[in-house]
Amino acid sequence: MARKVIVHVGAPKTGTSFVQELLFGSRQRLMALGIGYPADRFDAHFLAALDLMQLTWGGLEREAVGAWDRLASQVRAWPDTAIVSHEILATASRAHVARALESLSTGDTEIHVVLTARDLVRQIPAEWQENVKHRRIVKYADFLAHLQDPSRQQGVASWFWGVQEVPDILDRWGSTLPREHVHLVTVPPAGSPPQLLWQRFSRVLGLDPAEFVLEDDVRTNASLGVAEAAVVRRLNEQVNGVVPNHHYRAIVREALVHQNLSRDRRSARLSVPPDVWTWAADLSRTWVTELALRGYDVVGELDDLLPTEPLPYADPDHPDIDEFADAAVRALTAMTVEAARLRDREVELQHDIEELIDKLDAAHSTPIYKLKERAVARASTSRFAAKGLGVYRRLRGRNSRST
Amino acid sequence: MDPQDEAAYAGRVRAWADHLRDGSRQTWTEFLGTPAAPADDRGGAPLPGAAQLELVRRLADADADLPRFADLADLVLTTAGPGRGLVDTPLPWPSSRAVGTPPVEPDRLPAEELLRASAGVLARLLAPEADLAPPRPSRPWRPWRRGFTLLGAPTTVELVRTALLERGLREGGARTTWFVLGGPLEDLMAQRWSARVRAGAGLRWQRLWRTSATNDRLPPGIALASIAQHVADEFDPSRVHVVLTDDPTTTLARVSEVLGVPGGPLEPRADVLATDLLRRVNPVLGLAIGDVARRHVVDRVWPQISAGEQTAPLGAPLAHLDWAIAAGERMAGALSSARYAVHGDPAIVVPTRRAGVRRAPDPDDVLAHALVVVGRAWRRYTERQP
């Protein structure tokens, strides 16, 4: 049987983190089924994707040197089915795709590409929110205008369409593959059971979804509400240029957004204004028509990519002032609690340091240590003692300056 | 676009690519006006995008004498644009695709897109330099010579340091004389920016100012008054000299006077365009060979990247000019009341509201410089790999 490599290329905001968490946490069980998910850390495939596409990511790219070649060699060495999964692969250019597919193959390899896709009307606010969580300060109205500009040359438009334009992504990744090896997994409409996406995805992998129980704490990127997103965007305006990326990731994205604001969303869900809904719905219909002609393996329904009825629109650039104030106070509370936790940790560490100093003092008060100290002091004034110390250090096999 | 039309498009693009490989400077529009050979879509390699094709055309336009131009063209055409930007920009064609990046006339692509392609090409040309051993600086041991230590404006420090070592002085030592070199604040920031970028940062000029202004603090390496104060506190204030001038020759003259050696002319360095180019190359090169090797490569090739630049110094971005003036005035005030020697007028550090100053690098200028640098890097590459 030919080796099989399944490359899951996105798209962002379609439950990819959830799938990746499940795959990473199930590596041993998958291995027993002959399926390899080569990763020594949760973000191994993310780093490989950064390396492949030579992307910067707030300094994380420094950890990505050689990551794609390492991943590709692990995949090539795997005898059965291997999976590669990261959503930013969606924006790979044809040259990057060619390099990726070539490096994953060994001649008899059957390559399958999987794209999980969700309707555009849900993707647009989700992507803006993701941008806000990555410390961007672009207002929602500007973001929407950039997306609708046909040139795609403003703001993050080129990135958005690179990772969200479903027919083009499948064209870039799938144009050299048999159509049946290109799988489009549609994300079920809002309100569907959370297991449904995994059921659809596992069908592509040839797995029984029931064998993989979803843990409650599997990583999901919960949404911010309108007011919460507005608070984080305004916060970005204040901390950009002041707080370095590594602190921003830990304090704002993780502690504030993931651990607090998105778990306690109280304001309206982010949506699109009516004119954008109409534009996005028209575009989605064009995509669905195009995709229906392509002959890909569609898992789910193509109609899942059409938007459902519009949600009531609340403008995050002009949020309700009470909701905004409430979200700001909750943010301040969360940050105060986090600051207190870090203060506690600081006190603990201070205590540890004092204990270590006591132990060091005790070690330095032994007669043998004092003798060594006297010998070293003597060596600085006596050539004879210095020579003796040199001989002693050579005999010890290392040049220690401490004793 | 139906499959037949797609094949015709691909064939025409590959024909233009072949034409460009031969050194043609014809634009896509001009090429489309020439009689078409039968469609020849060889398939296989992905079609090059508009940015890659246009970069080849501009390289031929910038230097018609590049050796083995077809090989350089192949390298450019097969180098994917690194990082973020338009994905596989197609060329205008009567029937365009309904999805994907919209077509753009290659000669009307934004300079940023061509710079992105150039960064990928430069990273490929420079990466093999990592295999060469890093140069070992020779430091003759001359304890009887007078010692000096230079701090402050990084580029001026480099120039003056080289000149003093050539005069046989030694760096450091127990009785060293400390010099803190400086000049106009905007020039100090430009030198700091250049040094940070050479050290690996992907920092924009505007970002350096924004960070400093937001923190209301000058980068520590060029906070002249703080540096001089620290050295004076730690050592002997009589051995600390702050030298403020607006050109390296005068700086060397003042330093030489204190040290009792002859001065001499120093060529001022302009490296705004080179710095802005390098900040784009840094992440790509770092990903290719790692940060340590990247540093060695940049140390080695920086003279080639920055050679020949004649740009005027950058001014502070308008949004931060008020802060720049205030910071300059604070520094000038601190230097005026110092208890160490200050050579030059402290007022020189304070920026002024000059008109007609460029306050950020112009991408078109950076691109013109990038074409020259790619040409140089290619010559070097072909010399090593005949």
Side-chain angles (χ1 to χ4, degrees):
Chain A
M1 198 178 80
R3 284 178 66 252
K4 194 166 161 184
V5 176
I6 295 171
V7 193
H8 176 209
V9 300
K13 313 309 293 176
T14 60
T16 50
S17 304
F18 158 85
V19 167
Q20 287 148 14
E21 179 106 340
L22 208 133
L23 291 170
F24 184 72
S26 311
R27 282 168 298 162
Q28 296 301 323
R29 268 190 297 162
L30 288 168
M31 205 182 286
L33 297 168
I35 298 176
Y37 184 72
D40 54 357
R41 51 192 273 188
F42 175 76
D43 59 358
H45 294 201
F46 166 60
L47 296 176
L50 290 184
D51 183 29
L52 174 73
M53 298 187 288
Q54 299 158 300
L55 269 169
T56 53
W57 207 278
L60 286 177
E61 68 279 2
R62 291 196 185 94
E63 298 172 43
V65 179
W68 179 266
D69 285 343
R70 278 195 297 280
L71 175 64
S73 98
Q74 288 171 306
V75 167
R76 287 196 304 272
W78 187 255
D80 296 318
T81 298
I83 302 173
V84 173
S85 172
H86 204 273
E87 58 273 18
I88 62 169
L89 289 169
T91 193
S93 66
R94 282 179 168 77
H96 288 134
V97 169
R99 185 193 154 202
L101 297 186
E102 191 187 345
S103 64
L104 296 171
S105 303
T106 52
D108 64 339
T109 310
E110 192 178 291
I111 301 261
H112 289 249
V113 165
V114 184
L115 179 71
T116 40
R118 194 166 73 142
D119 76 79
L120 193 55
V121 161
R122 282 190 288 168
Q123 291 300 76
I124 289 171
E127 276 282 354
W128 177 71
Q129 193 179 117
E130 197 62 17
N131 273 276
V132 169
K133 279 158 52 178
H134 283 80
R135 67 188 318 174
R136 290 192 187 270
I137 56 173
V138 61
K139 290 187 174 179
Y140 194 45
D142 294 335
F143 178 80
L144 295 174
H146 295 165
L147 298 195
Q148 292 177 86
D149 173 1
S151 78
R152 303 186 178 183
Q153 289 178 14
Q154 292 195 70
V156 294
S158 61
W159 175 266
F160 178 89
W161 294 113
V163 295
Q164 296 295 348
E165 193 175 22
V166 176
D168 189 49
I169 297 166
L170 290 173
D171 198 28
R172 274 182 273 124
W173 275 95
S175 60
T176 60
L177 303 175
R179 296 290 165 109
E180 63 274 19
H181 290 183
V182 180
H183 311 271
L184 173 61
V185 179
T186 60
V187 176
S192 304
Q195 298 87 346
L196 191 53
L197 174 65
W198 173 239
Q199 284 168 8
R200 289 179 178 182
F201 193 82
S202 54
R203 206 207 85 182
V204 178
L205 304 184
L207 296 174
D208 177 2
E211 280 189 37
F212 295 85
V213 182
L214 309 184
E215 305 288 342
D216 286 341
D217 61 349
V218 152
R219 185 184 297 249
T220 51
N221 288 333
S223 303
L224 294 169
V226 168
E228 289 89 356
V231 165
V232 178
R233 195 194 70 76
R234 292 281 294 274
L235 179 65
N236 291 346
E237 288 180 340
Q238 300 303 313
V239 301
N240 279 359
V242 182
V243 176
N245 277 334
H246 58 286
H247 288 323
Y248 183 90
R249 278 195 288 272
I251 297 172
V252 179
R253 198 176 314 154
E254 194 55 37
L256 176 62
V257 176
H258 290 161
Q259 302 300 327
N260 285 280
L261 293 182
S262 58
R263 286 188 178 178
D264 186 22
R265 181 170 62 81
R266 297 184 195 171
S267 60
R269 183 182 284 275
L270 208 54
S271 60
V272 295
D275 60 317
V276 175
W277 189 94
T278 307
W279 163 78
D282 288 347
L283 192 55
S284 303
R285 276 190 284 277
T286 316
W287 288 4
V288 167
T289 308
E290 166 87 16
L291 290 165
L293 298 172
R294 297 258 184 106
Y296 299 141
D297 172 36
V298 178
V299 187
E301 303 296 329
L302 273 182
D303 282 355
D304 290 341
L305 300 182
L306 298 175
T308 52
E309 287 304 303
L311 292 170
Y313 178 63
D315 183 358
D317 296 341
H318 304 94
D320 177 274
I321 195 68
D322 291 333
E323 288 185 348
F324 184 83
D326 176 62
V329 169
R330 279 185 288 130
L332 191 56
T333 309
M335 292 290 88
T336 309
V337 169
E338 179 65 5
R341 188 186 71 76
L342 293 174
R343 288 279 298 161
D344 281 346
R345 185 77 189 117
E346 190 185 325
V347 170
E348 276 173 32
L349 289 173
Q350 191 60 43
H351 181 70
D352 290 350
I353 289 168
E354 281 163 13
E355 271 189 4
L356 289 171
I357 289 171
D358 287 347
K359 284 181 184 167
L360 200 60
D361 286 346
H364 287 180
S365 62
T366 59
I368 188 76
Y369 187 86
K370 286 184 172 169
L371 188 65
K372 283 180 179 177
E373 264 190 336
R374 278 201 294 277
V376 172
R378 183 84 178 132
S380 64
T381 54
S382 156
R383 293 181 66 180
F384 179 73
K387 281 190 176 174
L389 188 63
V391 170
Y392 165 73
R393 282 175 173 160
R394 273 197 295 280
L395 289 174
R396 267 177 55 140
R398 68 188 174 94
N399 184 0
S400 166
R401 296 281 170 200
S402 58
T403 57
Chain B
M1 203 188 278
D2 61 41
Q4 202 176 357
D5 206 19
E6 197 134 356
Y9 168 76
R12 203 73 171 122
V13 171
R14 291 196 200 279
W16 190 43
D18 285 346
H19 199 50
L20 294 174
R21 286 178 84 248
D22 293 339
S24 166
R25 298 170 213 174
Q26 225 173 15
T27 63
W28 172 244
T29 312
E30 289 163 353
F31 182 74
L32 282 182
T34 60
D40 171 27
D41 181 16
R42 283 154 285 177
L47 274 186
Q52 281 72 22
L53 290 158
E54 180 63 12
L55 183 57
V56 173
R57 197 185 72 80
R58 301 253 185 133
L59 283 166
D61 200 35
D63 186 349
D65 298 324
L66 284 172
R68 290 163 44 193
F69 187 77
D71 291 343
L72 173 60
D74 285 341
L75 187 135
V76 175
L77 295 173
T78 55
T79 303
R84 292 164 182 78
L86 297 172
V87 184
D88 293 331
T89 311
L91 310 176
W93 188 249
S95 57
S96 57
R97 295 167 70 232
V99 294
T101 304
V104 181
E105 284 287 354
D107 55 340
R108 303 178 90 171
L109 274 168
E112 293 289 347
E113 279 298 309
L114 296 176
L115 279 167
R116 191 162 72 93
S118 306
V121 170
L122 270 173
R124 280 184 73 177
L125 293 176
L126 297 180
E129 300 262 354
D131 298 336
L132 306 173
R136 286 182 158 272
S138 64
R139 290 202 179 176
W141 188 63
R142 294 168 174 148
W144 61 92
R145 297 280 193 164
R146 191 145 182 206
F148 68 90
T149 304
L150 304 177
L151 301 166
T155 308
T156 310
V157 163
E158 251 175 68
L159 290 168
V160 174
R161 177 178 173 273
T162 307
L164 294 179
L165 291 176
E166 279 168 3
R167 284 158 177 73
L169 272 70
R170 76 189 164 97
E171 195 167 21
R175 295 289 305 163
T176 189
T177 305
W178 299 84
F179 294 93
V180 182
L181 311 185
L185 181 61
E186 287 156 316
D187 185 41
L188 284 172
M189 286 290 266
Q191 293 195 24
R192 171 71 180 169
W193 180 48
S194 172
R196 287 276 318 270
V197 168
R198 277 179 282 151
L203 187 68
R204 289 169 192 264
W205 171 247
Q206 298 91 323
R207 173 82 185 271
L208 178 69
W209 280 97
R210 194 177 72 219
T211 305
S212 303
T214 310
N215 291 316
D216 192 19
R217 198 179 61 199
L218 284 169
I222 55 164
L224 306 181
S226 310
I227 298 170
Q229 188 62 50
H230 174 74
V231 181
D233 289 346
E234 285 286 311
F235 305 98
D236 177 1
S238 68
R239 284 192 286 130
V240 178
H241 299 263
V242 174
V243 179
L244 302 170
T245 75
D246 56 6
D247 75 293
T249 301
T250 317
T251 304
L252 179 60
R254 300 253 162 96
V255 171
S256 302
E257 201 180 306
V258 174
L259 294 171
V261 292
L266 286 179
E267 193 68 33
R269 272 193 208 161
D271 58 12
V272 168
L273 303 179
T275 303
D276 202 58
L277 175 62
L278 183 61
R279 79 163 173 85
R280 299 159 194 268
V281 177
N282 268 341
V284 194
L285 188 57
L287 262 168
I289 58 176
D291 210 40
V292 174
R294 187 212 62 81
R295 183 72 200 249
H296 288 147
V297 169
V298 170
D299 285 348
R300 181 192 304 280
V301 301
W302 178 246
Q304 279 88 53
I305 294 178
S306 59
E309 201 183 314
Q310 300 290 332
T311 43
L314 288 177
L318 273 181
H320 306 299
L321 186 54
D322 286 344
W323 177 82
I325 292 171
E329 284 170 350
R330 281 200 299 270
M331 193 198 283
L335 291 170
S336 302
S337 56
R339 55 195 183 88
Y340 40 79
V342 176
H343 308 259
D345 181 2
I348 197 177
V349 301
V350 184
T352 54
R353 296 180 191 280
R354 294 164 292 159
V357 178
R358 196 171 282 290
R359 300 191 177 276
D362 181 339
D364 286 321
D365 293 344
V366 182
L367 176 60
H369 187 70
L371 295 174
V372 175
V373 174
V374 170
R376 274 183 208 142
W378 175 248
R379 285 179 198 281
R380 208 172 143 93
Y381 184 85
T382 50
E383 279 163 17
R384 279 201 324 278
Q385 303 186 2

